[in-house]
Amino acid sequence: MRVAVTCDHGGYALKRVVGEALRASGAEVTDLGTDTDASVDYPDYAFRALDLLRKGECDRIVLICGTGIGMSICANRIPGVRAALCHDAFTARMSRLHNDANCLVLGGRVTGPGVASDIVDVWMKTPFEAGRHAARLARIEELTARMNESGKGRGDRS
Ligand code: RB5
């Protein structure tokens, strides 16, 4: 599996650990920076990875900023991206089983290296359960399209 990983300065220290865990799981890893702990703007790095995912040039992405929140906000704006900010192996497992997450987000100032390695390992090997969860993901797409068309901010009209 082709996985692109990126971070801002808040995620820089964790990126090396995540890269190692991804490679250990068999992934072909593309590292999109940043490569120092100098301050950068997290949207610039999030969108590098999101661009590759949208173009089909990688299969999944991992985004790391200080809390994971800023990069999650970026990622879940993009059609077809299902980003999960995970804090432990349980949330990582559920993000795959129920949400088919194709984007893992981590907080470099929140999650330690051991927990992050476990998260990556579980996230890489857990399949999507599909079934009722596929129907719910389809419903997200349907309600998003409806809201975008109406521009009124209500997703509950039929
Ligand atoms: C950078 O200081 C920090 O704001 C960023 O890494 C991230 O936590 C944003 O959500």
Side-chain angles (χ1 to χ4, degrees):
M1 189 180 300
R2 301 163 304 162
V3 183
V5 57
T6 193
C7 66
D8 73 352
H9 53 290
Y12 172 63
L14 197 61
K15 180 161 64 76
R16 187 179 55 80
V17 172
V18 166
E20 284 170 7
L22 285 168
R23 285 184 197 93
S25 77
E28 178 191 320
V29 180
T30 301
D31 185 337
L32 300 171
T34 186
D35 299 314
T36 74
D37 57 10
S39 182
V40 293
D41 296 326
Y42 65 82
D44 295 335
Y45 287 87
F47 276 83
R48 286 184 184 189
L50 290 162
D51 187 48
L52 282 195
L53 187 62
R54 284 281 280 168
K55 288 177 177 161
E57 292 175 14
C58 64
D59 304 301
R60 295 190 196 173
I61 59 175
V62 181
L63 311 178
I64 317 165
C65 60
T67 58
I69 295 170
M71 287 212 176
S72 296
I73 291 170
C74 294
N76 278 318
R77 296 173 71 97
I78 307 305
V81 176
R82 294 174 301 281
L85 173 55
C86 294
H87 293 107
D88 47 40
F90 177 74
T91 48
R93 184 177 304 107
M94 297 311 288
S95 81
R96 290 290 313 136
L97 287 173
H98 287 193
N99 310 111
D100 197 19
N102 54 4
C103 171
L104 170 65
V105 192
L106 297 168
R109 295 172 180 157
V110 180
T111 302
V115 173
S117 293
D118 281 353
I119 288 172
V120 169
D121 179 54
V122 166
W123 190 71
M124 288 297 291
K125 70 185 182 198
T126 304
F128 179 42
E129 223 171 59
R132 68 187 188 281
H133 303 296
R136 290 167 184 161
L137 293 181
R139 185 73 172 144
I140 292 173
E141 300 305 324
E142 184 189 336
L143 292 174
T144 302
R146 192 183 296 178
M147 188 169 282
N148 286 340
E149 278 161 24
S150 74
K152 290 181 181 167
R154 280 191 61 188
D156 60 350
R157 292 170 301 124
S158 52

